[in-house]
Amino acid sequence: DDKFGSFMQQPAAPEHHSKSSGAGSSIIGILEVCESDFASNLAKEEQQEADAESVYQKITQENKITVASKEQDVKYKTQESKSLDSTVAELSSDRETTNAELSAVLEYYGKIKERCIAKPETYEVRKASREAEIEGLKKALATLNDETAFLQRKNRRHSMRGSVISVK
C-alpha cells in the first residue's frame, strides 16, 4: 500500500510559478465584446422579425379583403350572368317570332308586288301595241268619215219653200 499512497500524493508545487495577470482579462474582454455583438444582432433580428410580422399581417389582411371582395364579385357576376342568360333566351324567342312574322309579311308583299307593280314592257311590245293602237284609230277615223258622209246625204232637210238645207 505504500506504493499506492506515494502514487496518489499531490505533486509538489513548482518553484518558480507566478500568477498570470493579463490573459484572463483579455479573454473576458473578448467575451464581453462578443456578448454585446450578439445582443445588438439579436435586437436587429428581433426588430426585423417584428417588421416582417407586421408586413405579413398587413398583407394577410389585404388578401382577406381582396378574397372577400372577389367572392362577392363572383356571386354578383353569377347572378348577372343568369339574368343575362334568361334575357337572351327571351330575346331569342322574340327574334324567332319576329323573323317568322317578317317572313310571312315578305311573302305577302311578294304576292302583292306581282299584282300591283307595273312591269316595264320591252321596246318591241310597246312598239307593237302603239302600232295596233294607231291602226285601230285609223280604222275608227275611216269609219267615222264614212258615217259622216252617209249622214250628210241622208239628213238633208227641206225647208218650207222647197229648198234643201244641209246639216254639217
Side-chain angles (χ1 to χ4, degrees):
D1 279 319
D2 222 5
K3 276 178 151 186
F4 181 72
S6 68
F7 179 71
M8 293 300 282
Q9 286 185 0
Q10 185 83 13
E15 294 177 16
H16 295 290
H17 180 68
S18 64
K19 185 177 178 183
S20 163
S21 63
S25 65
S26 68
I27 291 175
I28 291 177
I30 291 172
L31 290 175
E32 287 174 350
V33 168
C34 288
E35 180 187 17
S36 71
D37 287 346
F38 284 142
S40 67
N41 286 340
L42 179 64
K44 287 179 186 175
E45 288 297 322
E46 286 177 348
Q47 182 62 38
Q48 287 176 352
E49 183 66 26
D51 291 344
E53 177 68 22
S54 171
V55 168
Y56 172 78
Q57 291 298 332
K58 182 179 176 185
I59 290 174
T60 302
Q61 187 63 28
E62 288 175 357
N63 287 342
K64 285 180 183 178
I65 291 170
T66 303
V67 166
S69 171
K70 295 203 185 234
E71 286 174 351
Q72 283 299 106
D73 284 348
V74 167
K75 179 181 172 185
Y76 291 134
K77 300 272 181 183
T78 303
Q79 289 175 349
E80 184 179 0
S81 173
K82 288 178 183 176
S83 171
L84 289 175
D85 286 344
S86 65
T87 302
V88 165
E90 290 174 16
L91 292 176
S92 294
S93 174
D94 290 349
R95 181 175 179 238
E96 290 172 6
T97 303
T98 304
N99 281 340
E101 290 175 4
L102 176 64
S103 295
V105 167
L106 289 176
E107 182 180 337
Y108 181 71
Y109 174 70
K111 290 177 183 177
I112 297 291
K113 184 178 173 183
E114 289 175 8
R115 291 189 222 159
C116 296
I117 297 176
K119 294 178 184 160
E121 298 175 340
T122 62
Y123 174 75
E124 291 80 19
V125 171
R126 285 185 295 169
K127 182 179 177 185
S129 173
R130 293 288 178 245
E131 287 176 357
E133 186 178 348
I134 290 171
E135 189 63 34
L137 289 173
K138 284 181 182 178
K139 285 181 183 179
L141 182 62
T143 304
L144 286 175
N145 284 335
D146 289 342
E147 286 181 12
T148 306
F150 180 68
L151 283 176
Q152 284 178 357
R153 288 184 203 145
K154 197 175 184 184
N155 276 338
R156 290 188 180 177
R157 290 190 197 173
H158 295 282
S159 66
M160 292 212 189
R161 293 189 188 175
S163 62
V164 177
I165 301 175
S166 67
V167 177
K168 294 183 182 181

